[in-house]
Amino acid sequence: MNDGDTGVLELEVIALRRESDCVLSVELADPEKRALPGWKPGAHIDLGLPEHIRQYSLVGDPSDRHSYRIAVLREPESSGGSSYVHAQLRPGELVEIGGPRNNFPLAGADRYLMIAGGVGITPLLPMIRELHAQNKDWRLLYGGRSRRSMAYLAELAEYGRRVDVRPFDECGHLDLDSELATPSDNTVVYCCGPEALISAVENHCETWPAGALHVERFSARPRDDEDDLRAFELVLASSGQRFTVPAESSALDVLGAAGIDLPNACRDGVCGSCETRVLAGLPLHRDALADPDRTDIVYPCVSRSRSAELVLDL
Ligand code: FES
């Protein structure tokens, strides 16, 4: 689900804080101190940096309408976004942000198992605060390279035994075999972290009830189908216009070339900004967002069509 997208805002960096040896949090506010658009746990913003737009979960307090807080991992292999934040972004600088947008909303359930890897703790932290305030039954399994690399440990320690901190250098990999061995009715699993962790949790949850697992990726889902992509037809419901999307182009680019510009903050199937309703046809989801069985939406930046034709609500 994609809600709360409010266009682009120019915000000021008002504070930077080190949350671990490799995670820096950034606090943003309106330069005129105006209230910011509201958000719910699981939401993220698009952060505009020189030559990059990156998605970061909101980790602060949703009831604080005057600042947003995000946490940024320093990634040695980064293409520039995270290194810029760590090395150059400073208080007083103005940045453009898009959103907030929520592709990872908190579902109703009896029990919640949260699984975080590294900086994947960020979308889960506001969820945990909300679940705890509502006296819900929840647990967090939190893995990371080492304690020094794991953000927000002091805050999480306040929740006592509900939180299981498992640094790799002390405990090895998270024990998903025992945590997820038995599907549990009315338990939902929320996971965010590196691709290897998300894929492992997805594999372990294959026998769980449909809809029990919720994941959030901030990098593209692995795709190895480039050689098998086929052309398909796009039809715009409002005008009946038809466009052929060749195998080597995205639907987003084909629409853009025809002057139909959709929001496109990531162009990689992770942010949700290009979400478009499908009225007929079967989408082929290559994004990191949609359930593979969903037929009512498509992310035209990377996703395509299983059917010869896809009718869009455009
Ligand atoms: S542009 Fe981000 S999902 Fe399509």
Side-chain angles (χ1 to χ4, degrees):
M1 178 163 123
N2 180 353
D3 61 30
D5 200 339
T6 53
V8 174
L9 296 172
E10 190 172 60
L11 300 186
E12 181 180 350
V13 176
I14 56 169
L16 298 170
R17 193 168 71 206
R18 189 149 293 287
E19 307 290 357
S20 80
D21 70 359
C22 55
V23 174
L24 190 69
S25 70
V26 181
E27 197 170 344
L28 303 162
D30 184 276
E32 307 296 331
K33 303 195 172 11
R34 288 175 291 226
L36 301 175
W39 59 281
K40 293 200 172 127
H44 72 267
I45 56 172
D46 306 315
L47 179 66
L49 298 167
E51 298 177 34
H52 300 276
I53 298 177
R54 289 285 181 270
Q55 286 66 47
Y56 294 102
S57 297
L58 289 168
V59 69
D61 176 0
S63 69
D64 172 5
R65 296 296 302 274
H66 286 86
S67 75
Y68 289 155
R69 192 147 49 90
I70 58 173
V72 179
L73 172 69
R74 189 182 61 239
E75 296 173 274
E77 303 298 317
S78 135
S79 54
S82 90
S83 357
Y84 179 84
V85 170
H86 278 257
Q88 295 185 55
L89 192 69
R90 291 294 173 261
E93 192 167 332
L94 295 176
V95 290
E96 286 195 341
I97 70 115
R101 194 179 305 115
N102 198 341
N103 303 317
F104 195 44
L106 202 46
D110 288 344
R111 281 178 300 277
Y112 296 80
L113 174 60
M114 323 300 273
I115 303 177
V119 79
I121 189 64
T122 53
L124 302 183
L125 201 52
M127 293 184 182
I128 284 168
R129 294 189 198 112
E130 180 164 317
L131 293 174
H132 203 68
Q134 293 177 2
N135 218 12
K136 294 280 192 180
D137 183 355
W138 65 273
R139 282 184 55 232
L140 168 69
L141 186 61
Y142 181 17
R145 189 165 33 83
S146 64
R147 281 178 197 276
R148 288 166 55 85
S149 73
M150 295 169 74
Y152 304 112
L153 290 182
E155 176 178 344
L156 289 167
E158 294 171 15
Y159 298 116
R161 295 165 60 113
R162 287 185 182 276
V163 174
D164 191 359
V165 174
R166 313 285 290 177
F168 178 77
D169 61 352
E170 296 173 26
C171 315
H173 289 295
L174 296 179
D175 185 5
L176 299 179
D177 286 343
S178 52
E179 291 288 345
L180 299 168
T182 313
S184 168
D185 277 347
N186 223 2
T187 296
V188 288
V189 180
Y190 276 77
C191 176
C192 186
E195 180 57 38
L197 174 66
I198 294 178
S199 298
V201 170
E202 285 176 330
N203 290 338
H204 279 80
C205 285
E206 269 174 2
T207 54
W208 281 58
L213 175 62
H214 303 256
V215 304
E216 175 137 276
R217 289 177 160 88
F218 279 123
S219 56
R221 196 197 286 267
R223 296 189 285 263
D224 54 7
D225 57 356
E226 298 291 337
D227 294 340
D228 302 325
L229 298 182
R230 288 184 287 117
F232 64 98
E233 294 283 302
L234 275 185
V235 182
L236 307 194
S238 62
S239 61
Q241 277 178 288
R242 304 182 75 89
F243 302 96
T244 300
V245 181
E248 63 280 6
S249 300
S250 72
L252 185 77
D253 286 342
V254 168
L255 291 170
I260 301 156
D261 293 318
L262 300 178
N264 55 73
C266 75
R267 305 181 73 86
D268 208 11
V270 297
C271 75
S273 65
C274 68
E275 181 180 303
T276 304
R277 282 208 335 124
V278 173
L279 300 180
L282 290 176
L284 169 63
H285 294 297
R286 303 174 70 244
D287 52 83
L289 299 160
D291 184 311
D293 297 330
R294 268 190 90 167
T295 57
D296 60 329
I297 54 163
V298 69
Y299 296 96
C301 59
V302 292
S303 293
R304 305 184 65 84
S305 182
R306 292 182 195 282
S307 47
E309 184 177 289
L310 211 54
V311 182
L312 302 183
D313 187 16
L314 289 175

